[in-house]
């Protein structure tokens, strides 16, 4: 099988080893896929493997835009891979253009609430009302956080996506496609937004554009 | 050869609210499914599809209910009954998921350009 | 307090699980090698979104989950 790491413009594998020390090679051209050959799926759900896989994607990203593959993507043979590359060439090329020169930054943000802030159900409220008010408060909390920080951060990004993660506690989880030259400004903006607000923000990156490979509105 | 995790945290830190461990479990399951295309997985796939649709409807209904509660158009009695029903539904969903060995995250199908379902 | 290794790992796994280019669908339900149900689900959600747009009905709320 051909284990795939990323889609790139040119068929030039980066100068690093693949999983299990396998040699990298490229299949196709404009777009191409970076792969290594194995008898069975080489990726295990272990940090060492995951970071090794990620290292290949990032090495490829140093040479040009990449579309990282979802974990565990493998093809039975070159034919299957080439058919996919050709069949979706337009989509992949457009995506490569969209992400060129940019990296993904991840954000998680939560309101610093007191545990007792679970809405204010009246003292004699039944379990049903308590439940519904709890749900309301959870959604509102995360939406407050989103309102406070998503817009200003999205303004610094080419594209962005956000959602409320269930938690507990519910929190904002967002991803931003940011020009490399804007990463530092973005980081500063995150610090500014955290100052003087009861919000805790974690920012990670830079990542390959995992959240921005698909077409369509965000 | 051990690979050091590159420095990826640009700012902030966290009490781990959802451990890396449970995510690794999910990834492990997802990787196994991709490889083992056997009968059990087809059945679980069907259950996954059905439960995802049920979960979608449950969330839509709950959202509608919350909107109406916020809008103030429901009596306390109605809110109480809605709440109890939704609690029951949530419980039932959990039982159904357990029966098929599915996690909450398994019901969040990726629809490519349309994003995640839930 | 989580180490930054753990925090980074969580974000990496999220991306590997839910992000990236998808070649094979989540559900391997196929008839004659055609992913019928997968395609059907996309069409269902797409039509819900069209309904919302064209008729001003709000059935889903982007970015919020319970």
């Amino acid at each position: 099988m051909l284990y795939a790491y990323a889609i790139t413009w040119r068929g030039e594998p980066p100068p690093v080893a693949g999983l299990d020390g396998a040699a990298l090679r490229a299949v196709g051209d404009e777009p191409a896929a970076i792969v290594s050959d194995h008898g069975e799926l080489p990726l295990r759900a272990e940090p060492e493997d995951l970071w090794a896989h990620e290292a290949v994607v990032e090495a490829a990203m140093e040479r040009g835009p990449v579309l990282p593959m979802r974990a565990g993507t493998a093809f039975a043979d070159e034919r299957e891979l080439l058919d996919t590359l050709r069949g979706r060439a337009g989509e992949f090329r457009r995506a490569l253009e969209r992400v060129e020169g940019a990296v993904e930054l991840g954000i998680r943000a939560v309101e610093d609430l007191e545990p007792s802030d679970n809405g204010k159900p009246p003292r004699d409220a039944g379990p049903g009302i308590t439940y519904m008010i709890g749900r309301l408060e959870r959604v509102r909390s995360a939406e407050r956080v989103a309102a406070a920080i998503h817009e200003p951060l999205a303004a610094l990004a080419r594209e962005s996506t956000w959602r409320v993660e269930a938690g507990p506690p519910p929190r904002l989880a967002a991803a931003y496609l940011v020009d490399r030259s804007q990463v530092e400004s973005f980081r500063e903006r995150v610090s500014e937004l955290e100052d003087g607000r009861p919000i805790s923000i974690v920012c990670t990156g830079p990542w390959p554009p995992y959240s921005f490979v698909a077409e369509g509105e965000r | 050869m051990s690979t050091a995790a590159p420095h990826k945290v640009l700012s902030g830190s966290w009490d781990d609210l959802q451990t890396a461990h449970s995510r690794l479990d999910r990834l492990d399951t997802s990787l196994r499914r991709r490889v083992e295309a056997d009968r059990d997985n087809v059945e679980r796939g069907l259950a996954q599809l059905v439960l995802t649709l049920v979960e979608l409807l449950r969330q839509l209904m709950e959202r509608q209910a919350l909107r109406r509660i916020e809008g103030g158009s429901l009596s306390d009695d109605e809110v109480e009954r809605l709440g109890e029903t939704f609690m029951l539904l949530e419980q039932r969903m959990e039982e159904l998921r357990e029966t098929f060995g599915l996690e909450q995250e398994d019901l969040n199908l990726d629809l490519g350009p349309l994003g995640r379902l839930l | 307090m989580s180490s930054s290794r753990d925090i980074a790992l969580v974000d990496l796994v999220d991306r590997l699980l839910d992000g990236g280019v998808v070649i094979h669908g989540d559900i391997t339900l196929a008839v004659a090698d055609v992913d019928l149900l997968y395609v059907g689900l996309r069409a269902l959600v797409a039509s819900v979104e069209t309904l919302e747009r064209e008729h001003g009905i709000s059935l889903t709320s982007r970015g919020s989950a319970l």
Side-chain angles (χ1 to χ4, degrees), chain A residues 58-200:
Chain A
E58 294 193 4
M61 195 161 89
E62 280 173 32
R63 302 160 138 237
V66 303
L67 306 176
M69 304 305 292
R70 179 157 300 185
T73 302
F75 297 86
D77 52 35
E78 259 192 43
R79 173 88 277 134
E80 197 197 336
L81 174 49
L82 282 168
D83 284 348
T84 302
L85 287 174
R86 283 184 195 136
R88 295 170 69 173
E91 177 199 335
F92 293 152
R93 287 182 196 134
R94 284 189 293 277
L96 286 165
E97 276 164 13
R98 269 193 299 103
V99 304
E100 166 115 50
V103 296
E104 174 170 332
L105 297 176
I107 289 282
R108 275 203 174 79
V110 76
E111 247 187 351
D112 301 326
L113 286 176
E114 293 302 314
S116 62
D117 286 348
N118 192 28
K120 300 276 186 294
R123 246 175 316 122
D124 58 347
I129 290 184
T130 307
Y131 176 83
M132 293 310 278
I133 292 185
R135 298 299 257 176
L136 250 184
E137 193 45 39
R138 283 173 47 164
V139 176
R140 280 187 185 146
S141 165
E143 286 178 347
R144 274 197 294 274
V145 173
I149 78 167
H150 175 67
E151 287 298 316
L153 291 177
L156 296 173
R158 284 188 203 174
E159 291 180 43
S160 61
T161 169
W162 69 277
R163 70 184 193 282
V164 171
E165 254 185 5
R171 53 194 177 251
L172 172 72
Y176 302 86
L177 187 67
V178 177
D179 284 359
R180 284 183 193 271
S181 58
Q182 293 281 75
V183 171
E184 203 40 50
S185 308
F186 189 95
R187 216 223 291 212
E188 282 166 12
R189 196 77 179 94
V190 169
S191 293
E192 277 167 34
L193 288 167
E194 215 175 359
D195 275 343
R197 279 191 180 81
I199 294 179
S200 295

Side-chain angles (χ1 to χ4, degrees), chain A residues 10-43:
Chain A
R10 306 304 315 282
E12 289 161 7
V16 298
L19 286 171
D20 289 347
L24 293 180
R25 64 186 177 97
V27 172
D29 202 46
E30 299 192 2
I34 307 300
V35 303
S36 56
D37 301 272
H38 304 265
E40 55 180 29
L41 199 69
L43 186 75

